[in-house]
Amino acid sequence: MASPSAGEEAITNFVYGLVLSCMVAVVLNIFSKTLSRRDAKKAYGFLVDCILFDVNSSNSEKDVPSSSPSSAQMRAATASKPTPTSNGSPMFAWLSPNAQIQRAVHLVFCALGLVIAFVIYGVQQERIMTTEYEGGRFKNPNFLIFSNRFVAMGIALGVCYQKGQLRSKAALYKFSYCSISNILSSFCQFASLQFLSFPVLQVAKSCKALAVLLVSFLVFGKRFPPFEYAIATVVMLGAGAFFYIYAETTKGGSDSSNWTVGLTFLTIFILLDGFTNVWQGYLSKTYKTSQWQMMLGVNTFSMLLTLLIQGTDSTLVDTIMRLTSTPPLLIDVTALCTSAVIGQLFIFHTIATFGPLVFTLISIFRVILSIITSCIIYGHYIVPIGWLSIAVVFGAMAYRAYLKNSLPKERTKEGLSAHAHKGSHSSTTKDVEILVDKVKSVGTST
């Protein structure tokens, strides 16, 4: 495990990234408010207009190039297409004329894609942060975040261009808020692996539901159905029991002194990741931002901010030189980025094809499989009662997904009526679930 000096270095790097990123967001916000008060945005060009100013609903047709279909048109076109709930899957029509067989094979394909991609991602994540490469351990999580976001941004840019969705109705600087929480939460996730094991990290991620409830209330004053709080409490208690059991079984080991630093990073990671989900949901509801526009906006700012952080602290050049001189590290980083982006594409495809419930169940299975794989490869030991705690945590998460999937069927009309009376901040539970699932930016959900 990491030394105490590694903890000090990680904390220093986190604070540096936090301060620098927030300064960028504040400056952009000041520019937006100052220039808009002068009514001078037309004098600064299309790019600055996109970065600093929203698209006014009354002028949206003027602001968006006429050669490209608007986001509303694209959503309408998408909504008009029949969802393949009962039909077959054209992708596998060559396999069998039977629609049910096509559908089943398509589901297996999505499940295998998600599981394989994210199991590889988890293995590579732990390998990179814990392996003693030539020259020591890799200590620049910002480069891993930058690499993931760069590839994801390129994919999102291509899709948005093809769909005519390059211009979001939201000013791009508004994506910087969840982008900051995105990169800092990812930093904490990578950094925590220097002090805690991968199984602990995966179980801790389950507590994000509680963070979403807390942040939603603190930021927007939003309340959820009682079952949300009940299940979040069960998950938290199960996760807490696992942490205690795991800490007791490793007491006196080489990693026992790292729990304080590791759990600090985990707590910050959960809270920041919760804010990322809540803010992305707000942008989606308020500005009707598509999942690809969200992926483009968040990953663009994440890439630029991590590039700025590495450029100002002189770690970018050093990391590139080390990668070129250490082939095993370069291979591991490449595998990490590739599996993350492929997994993100499978997330979008699975949700669009089979819905958030199926995706959640597959995700729970792949997390458990990732924990088992980590235990086998890296020798982590979990006592039987620890596995029972894991079963309680993920069983509660699966039950929550089931309730979220079934609740709106009884409350759709009620939810739509409430939405009409209360405005854009109100939504049905199903709306929130789909938004939270669909707007994930690459790397934050792995």
Side-chain angles (χ1 to χ4, degrees), residues 107 110 114 350 354-364 401 405:
L107 177 59
C110 291
L114 282 168
T350 303
F354 296 99
L357 175 62
V358 172
F359 166 72
T360 301
L361 296 177
I362 295 174
S363 296
I364 291 173
N405 186 70

Side-chain angles (χ1 to χ4, degrees), residues 311-389:
T312 53
D313 66 7
S314 304
T315 57
L316 180 62
V317 176
D318 293 341
T319 301
I320 293 176
M321 292 180 63
R322 186 180 181 193
L323 287 172
T324 56
S325 61
T326 313
L329 178 58
L330 178 61
I331 293 173
D332 287 341
V333 170
T334 303
L336 178 82
C337 297
T338 303
S339 59
V341 174
I342 292 175
Q344 188 67 26
L345 295 177
F346 269 104
I347 286 177
F348 285 148
H349 181 69
T350 303
I351 292 175
T353 306
F354 296 99
L357 175 62
V358 172
F359 166 72
T360 301
L361 296 177
I362 295 174
S363 296
I364 291 173
F365 173 75
R366 64 94 176 168
V367 169
I368 295 175
L369 187 60
S370 294
I371 293 175
I372 296 174
T373 303
S374 177
C375 290
I376 294 174
I377 295 179
Y378 298 104
H380 303 304
Y381 176 70
I382 301 176
V383 296
I385 194 172
W387 285 109
L388 178 61
S389 300

Side-chain angles (χ1 to χ4, degrees), residues 200-238:
V200 173
L201 172 62
Q202 292 299 309
V203 175
K205 285 184 178 183
S206 63
C207 297
K208 185 170 62 178
L210 184 62
V212 170
L213 299 178
L214 177 63
V215 174
S216 296
F217 176 75
L218 294 178
V219 177
F220 297 115
K222 180 174 180 57
R223 289 179 170 83
F224 291 82
F227 80 85
E228 288 278 11
Y229 300 97
I231 293 179
T233 302
V234 172
V235 169
M236 184 182 66
L237 292 176

Side-chain angles (χ1 to χ4, degrees), residues 277-297:
N277 285 343
V278 171
W279 189 259
Q280 287 177 329
Y282 164 75
L283 291 177
S284 294
K285 287 293 294 181
T286 304
Y287 298 99
K288 304 299 185 288
T289 305
S290 73
Q291 63 197 47
W292 293 107
Q293 288 175 325
M294 188 70 69
M295 187 175 177
L296 177 60

